[in-house]
Every structure is written in structure tokens, then in C-alpha cells.
Amino acid sequence: MSQREKNYDTKELVNQLLKDIQQGVIQDAEGQLPTEPELMNQYHVTRYTLRQALKNLANLGYIYQAHGSGTFARPHHVEGAISLQNNVGLTEEMARQGKIIKTTHISQEVVPLAKADFIPENQTLDKATELISVIRQRKLDDEPFLVEHSYYLKSIVGEIPDRALKGSLFAFINQKPGLKVGFIDSVIECEMISGLPARFFNVPDGSPSLVVRDDSYLSSGKLFAFSKIFYDFRKTKFFMLKKMH
Amino acid sequence: MSQREKNYDTKELVNQLLKDIQQGVIQDAEGQLPTEPELMNQYHVTRYTLRQALKNLANLGYIYQAHGSGTFARPHHVEGAISLQNNVGLTEEMARQGKIIKTTHISQEVVPLAKADFIPENQTLDKATELISVIRQRKLDDEPFLVEHSYYLKSIVGEIPDRALKGSLFAFINQKPGLKVGFIDSVIECEMISGLPARFFNVPDGSPSLVVRDDSYLSSGKLFAFSKIFYDFRKTKFFMLKKMH
DNA sequence: GAGTGGTCTAGACCACGAA
DNA sequence: TCGTGGTCTAGACCACTCA
């Protein structure tokens, strides 16, 4: 538990608490963390900020809070699973688990909406809308992991430089003045694949794949991209924690 | 917008707002809702309660909030998808969409942990732990939809009467004194199926299926059940909204 | 009954979007 | 610049667990 002058905001507190939990310096032998008032004192935050941070850590599977009993570190959380509630993006999420996402192949071209392989559900876009079609093959720790096919609305994101394609495209968007990623609709389903994804995963055509259809919106609520991500189903688990009320 | 004396709590406010949005009596022609201060006045709640309710509605896909612009009803949310953030349970979630879950076949038996088809990840339970094994086949609007195989810890939940097996088992748990469902770890993956699920869905052995592995905990943090739900992948979409920060 | 987390109130200030 | 939602403070009271 580092001492510091400046107060933590929620995001900083999440990172600090996570570090302290992983180092085991905050929970006792049974895994119990200090009570909320104690944590408020130790990290110099109010209850609101503390509880926001604890909620994030619970969503990531690192702790749980038991009403009337206390807050506990979770002995093990699901190994190698992708948290659907991570709110940071895949690259950063995997980095947190000590794994590396690398983009191995990229292609980019401009197409009209009418020629797109798929379009967003329930969205009214003109057929002539110019889209930047980006296909990326990505490896997880040097193993084929996913094929991502994204369409970006050219009128919003402009040109995408090649160097931006190698890393996090959301980071590229966020860094552009006036653009900020707001929220993403995700639909998870199972689909048969053929062609590129099948070859990349080295499976026969007609094999199943875990597919995530994302519609991405700016914080203003405007759609700026939609994508389809094919995951190698043998290597992919999605994780989430559901709190009941 | 009904008038009422008693103040709304979050859950009530969610239901009332949802009703008002679906009836279209709260948003304007562009789908914009009143500002937060106005909503606070109209429903006689403080900002905290209001924002909790709005967050729930956003997670369910009914609205979005745009920083600096306002709150908007979403034109259409994904049709027939199961919200992963519903926090109520499948039966109630589908009822909200006007669909009906019916349980068509049930079997129940008591087995020791050692004989279970699968066990929770990273959990240390004694091999002799007595489990109630429940297999349910469930239809959605009279079409085969899922096969659920659950193991309940007999020492915690006791006997399960047959009538409870037909509906929501969580409702049965919650109604028992001293027991309350707290949180559920879900892992979503794609898996090949054979045997019962394949027959129920009328697909050949070796067909893929969307599978959800749930570990269910009481609010005290004690594991009380773990299950594997096989969904007919042709009829199943999971939905979630991810907010970026 | 004592101690824990869960919900709610009231209000301040900040960050963003659109004009 | 103004109006919007986002974050944070401070504190009250409630609900639950367990001895």
C-alpha cells in the first residue's frame, strides 16, 4: 500500500487495489480485506469512490463482497478468460493477465456500405456511406486467436494510418480530437466459419467459431464502427460476474 | 407517468421508466428523455436513485446517455437476445420481451461429487459432497431452446420439491429462509454436444452449442450450485452493453 | 447486539457537446 | 457559453451475518 499525497480517483484506486491484492499485502490469511471504513482511511477516498473501485474488481473476478460479512479476495478467478465487463479493450485486458496480443496480418480498403459483408442491426445508414474495411488477424501469445473484420465510418474517423492498425484502434480513436469511444453493443453467438478465419485457425471449413458482433458508438451516441470478431472457440472463454438483487 | 405518494426505489423506478419508455410517453419525437434534474422532479427521486435506474436501462439496451447531450431512448434493441446483465434470471428476462420459457422434461437424482459430469473451476469441494443433480429441458415459445444440467449442494439447499423444478429454481432458493442468491460467475464458450442436448435440439452428435458454465454463490459467498447450460446455437444470442471509460 | 456491506439523500464541482 | 451527464464528497439509515 503505497503512501501518496494526491487522492486516488476510481481508475487509479482499481489499479492500486489490484496490485495490493495480487501481492497479498491487503487481505488476511482467510482472504478477507479490511472493512470499507478502513479502506477509506487507508487510501484516502470516500465511500463512493471506494465502492466504485470494489465493484470494478468484483466484475473482473478478483473480489466479492458479502453483505453482513465483509469483502474477500477470490481464491482463483477463471484462468485465461476474457472479462466481458473489462471496459478497457482486449489488448489492455490481456496485458493485465500477463498475455500479449499481437496483430500479424492487416488489410485495409474503402468500400461503400452496400458492399459490406454485414451491417449493424437496426441501424439506418445510407447505402453509399463510405466505410473503411479493416481485417486483422491477431495472435495471443503467438497462437492464432482471432480474426477481426471491422468497418469504420470514414466520415467520422477519417484515414487510418498503418501504424495505428497494429495496436488498439480504440486508442487511436480516443486520441483524435473530438472523438471519444462511448459504448459498445456486443452480441455473442456461435457461427460456422469458412475461408480466412478457418485457415488462420487451421480448421476445416464449416467449423464453429465464437463470434462477437460489436456496434461501437462515440460518447455522443453516434455509431462510428461495427465489427465481427471470430474467435478460435478452442481457446476462448468469456467471463462475467452477475450480481443478483 | 403515474402519480404516486411513496417514493420509488431503484427497482420500481426501472420498471416505471421502462413502461413509460415503451409507451413513448416520456421521450420526445427525437427519442430524447428529460434531463436528469427534470426526471428527479417527475419521479421524486434523488440523482443517485435515478442514475442507478438509468444505468440498468442502459444495460438492458433501452436507453443510452450521451455526456453533454442528453439521455435517449434507443430506437431498437437487439431482437430476441438474452441480456447478460439482466440480473433477474432467464424466465423473467424473457417475460419482459413477451416470450415464455417452459420446462418440458425434468430429472433429479442425488450423486456424490466424484460422479459429477463436471465440477466448478478452482473450487475445493470434498469428493463425497452430496449433490442434487437436476437436468431440465426447456422450450422458448414451444421450440427446444436449452438443456440445463445443474448440481445443487444438498447440504445447503436441502430437498427440492418437484413443483419447484418447473419454474425458477433461484426463486425457490431465495424463498427459503436464510438463503439468498448473491452472485453468479458465468463462463461462455462454444462446445460440441452429443447425447441428450443433441437429441433435444434435433442435431447430429458433434454439433456445436453455445454453453454457459455458471457457478452460483449465496450472498454470503458460499458456493451452492454449479451448472452447465447448453443452448441451441441457432436460436441463441447473448447481448451486452459495454461502457468505455 | 455489534459489525458488515447496500441503499439513499443532498449537494458540489468537473468534462463534454453543441451552438 | 450554456446545458448536459460524469465524478466525487459527506453523511444517514437500512439489511444482513454471525456470535
Side-chain angles (χ1 to χ4, degrees):
Chain A
M1 270 161 283
S2 72
Q3 301 298 321
R4 51 181 282 171
E5 302 307 316
K6 188 180 150 297
N7 283 354
Y8 291 99
D9 66 20
T10 303
K11 197 174 176 182
E12 294 164 341
L13 184 56
V14 167
N15 290 330
Q16 186 60 47
L17 282 167
L18 181 53
K19 200 184 298 177
D20 292 341
I21 290 167
Q22 287 177 328
Q23 291 180 354
V25 297
I26 178 172
Q27 63 270 45
D28 66 17
E30 285 78 37
Q32 181 161 11
L33 275 68
T35 65
E36 292 188 350
E38 285 167 353
L39 289 169
M40 287 162 64
N41 282 331
Q42 288 179 29
Y43 294 93
H44 305 294
V45 291
T46 59
R47 201 164 169 217
Y48 176 91
T49 307
L50 175 64
R51 283 176 63 75
Q52 292 279 333
L54 293 176
K55 195 203 300 175
N56 280 327
L57 290 170
N59 283 339
L60 290 169
Y62 291 102
I63 64 162
Y64 69 89
Q65 292 198 277
H67 193 179
S69 306
T71 303
F72 301 85
R74 302 201 61 178
H76 311 278
H77 56 281
V78 182
E79 200 58 43
I82 299 171
S83 169
L84 292 170
Q85 294 156 316
N86 65 61
N87 78 21
V88 284
L90 185 65
T91 315
E92 196 171 327
E93 154 92 3
M94 295 318 283
R96 219 175 237 159
Q97 296 188 24
K99 306 194 171 187
I100 297 169
I101 296 281
K102 244 186 291 190
T103 303
T104 55
H105 288 84
I106 307 168
S107 66
Q108 177 181 192
E109 60 172 330
V110 178
V111 299
L113 181 89
K115 291 190 114 180
D117 290 354
F118 54 94
I119 55 169
E121 310 221 15
N122 307 312
Q123 192 74 20
T124 51
L125 290 172
D126 192 279
K127 282 197 182 358
T129 308
E130 275 201 319
L131 303 173
I132 303 176
S133 165
V134 176
I135 299 178
R136 303 199 292 179
Q137 299 171 39
R138 313 190 83 181
K139 291 189 174 183
L140 175 66
D141 286 349
D142 293 322
E143 292 276 332
F145 184 51
L146 66 86
V147 174
E148 172 195 303
H149 191 175
S150 305
Y151 292 100
Y152 293 84
L153 272 65
K154 200 177 176 208
S155 59
I156 295 181
V157 306
E159 310 281 341
I160 305 179
D162 280 350
R163 67 174 184 290
L165 290 172
K166 286 185 187 150
S168 161
L169 275 166
F170 282 179
F172 167 71
I173 304 282
N174 277 326
Q175 147 260 316
K176 293 197 83 162
L179 296 186
K180 193 156 172 261
V181 181
F183 56 93
I184 302 171
D185 266 351
S186 294
V187 176
I188 301 171
E189 50 195 331
C190 178
E191 199 181 293
M192 306 309 189
I193 52 172
S194 58
L196 175 59
R199 286 198 304 278
F200 185 54
F201 300 151
N202 196 27
V203 295
D205 278 9
S207 295
S209 172
L210 259 182
V211 176
V212 179
R213 271 279 296 109
D214 281 344
D215 292 338
S216 304
Y217 296 82
L218 298 175
S219 59
S220 66
K222 275 206 271 290
L223 181 81
F224 75 93
F226 52 97
S227 65
K228 205 164 178 176
I229 307 177
F230 303 89
Y231 289 88
D232 186 335
F233 79 94
R234 299 164 299 183
K235 296 169 187 156
T236 308
K237 289 177 185 182
F238 295 112
F239 163 84
M240 78 172 290
L241 183 131
K242 201 185 287 194
K243 253 199 143 174
M244 305 305 271
H245 305 290
Chain B
M1 270 161 284
S2 71
Q3 301 299 322
R4 51 182 281 173
E5 301 307 316
K6 190 182 149 295
N7 283 353
Y8 290 100
D9 67 19
T10 302
K11 198 174 176 184
E12 295 164 341
L13 185 55
V14 167
N15 290 330
Q16 186 60 48
L17 282 168
L18 181 52
K19 201 184 298 178
D20 293 340
I21 289 167
Q22 287 176 328
Q23 291 181 355
V25 297
I26 178 172
Q27 65 269 44
D28 66 17
E30 286 76 39
Q32 181 160 11
L33 275 69
T35 65
E36 292 188 350
E38 285 165 354
L39 289 169
M40 288 161 64
N41 281 331
Q42 288 179 29
Y43 294 91
H44 305 294
V45 292
T46 60
R47 202 164 169 218
Y48 176 91
T49 307
L50 175 63
R51 283 176 62 75
Q52 293 277 335
L54 293 175
K55 196 204 298 175
N56 280 329
L57 290 169
N59 284 340
L60 291 168
Y62 292 101
I63 64 161
Y64 69 90
Q65 292 198 277
H67 193 180
S69 306
T71 303
F72 301 85
R74 302 201 61 178
H76 311 276
H77 57 281
V78 182
E79 199 58 41
I82 300 171
S83 168
L84 292 170
Q85 294 156 317
N86 65 60
N87 78 22
V88 283
L90 185 64
T91 314
E92 197 171 327
E93 154 92 3
M94 296 318 282
R96 219 174 238 160
Q97 297 188 22
K99 306 193 171 185
I100 297 170
I101 296 280
K102 244 185 292 189
T103 303
T104 55
H105 289 85
I106 307 168
S107 67
Q108 177 180 193
E109 61 172 329
V110 177
V111 300
L113 182 89
K115 292 190 115 180
D117 290 354
F118 54 94
I119 55 169
E121 309 220 16
N122 307 310
Q123 192 74 21
T124 51
L125 290 172
D126 192 279
K127 281 198 183 358
T129 308
E130 274 201 318
L131 303 173
I132 303 176
S133 164
V134 176
I135 299 178
R136 303 198 292 178
Q137 297 166 234
R138 313 189 84 182
K139 291 189 174 183
L140 175 67
D141 285 349
D142 293 320
E143 292 277 329
F145 184 52
L146 67 86
V147 174
E148 172 195 302
H149 191 175
S150 305
Y151 292 100
Y152 293 84
L153 272 66
K154 200 178 176 209
S155 59
I156 295 181
V157 305
E159 310 281 341
I160 305 179
D162 280 349
R163 67 175 181 288
L165 289 173
K166 286 187 188 149
S168 160
L169 274 165
F170 282 179
F172 167 72
I173 304 283
N174 277 326
Q175 148 261 317
K176 295 197 82 161
L179 296 186
K180 194 160 170 257
V181 181
F183 56 93
I184 302 170
D185 268 351
S186 295
V187 175
I188 301 170
E189 51 195 332
C190 177
E191 199 180 294
M192 305 310 188
I193 53 172
S194 58
L196 175 59
R199 285 197 305 278
F200 185 55
F201 300 151
N202 196 27
V203 296
D205 279 8
S207 296
S209 172
L210 260 182
V211 177
V212 179
R213 269 281 296 110
D214 281 343
D215 292 339
S216 304
Y217 296 83
L218 298 175
S219 60
S220 66
K222 275 206 273 289
L223 182 81
F224 74 93
F226 52 98
S227 65
K228 205 165 178 176
I229 307 177
F230 302 90
Y231 289 88
D232 186 334
F233 79 94
R234 298 164 301 182
K235 296 169 188 157
T236 308
K237 290 177 184 181
F238 295 113
F239 163 83
M240 80 173 289
L241 183 130
K242 201 185 286 193
K243 255 201 141 171
M244 306 304 273
H245 306 288

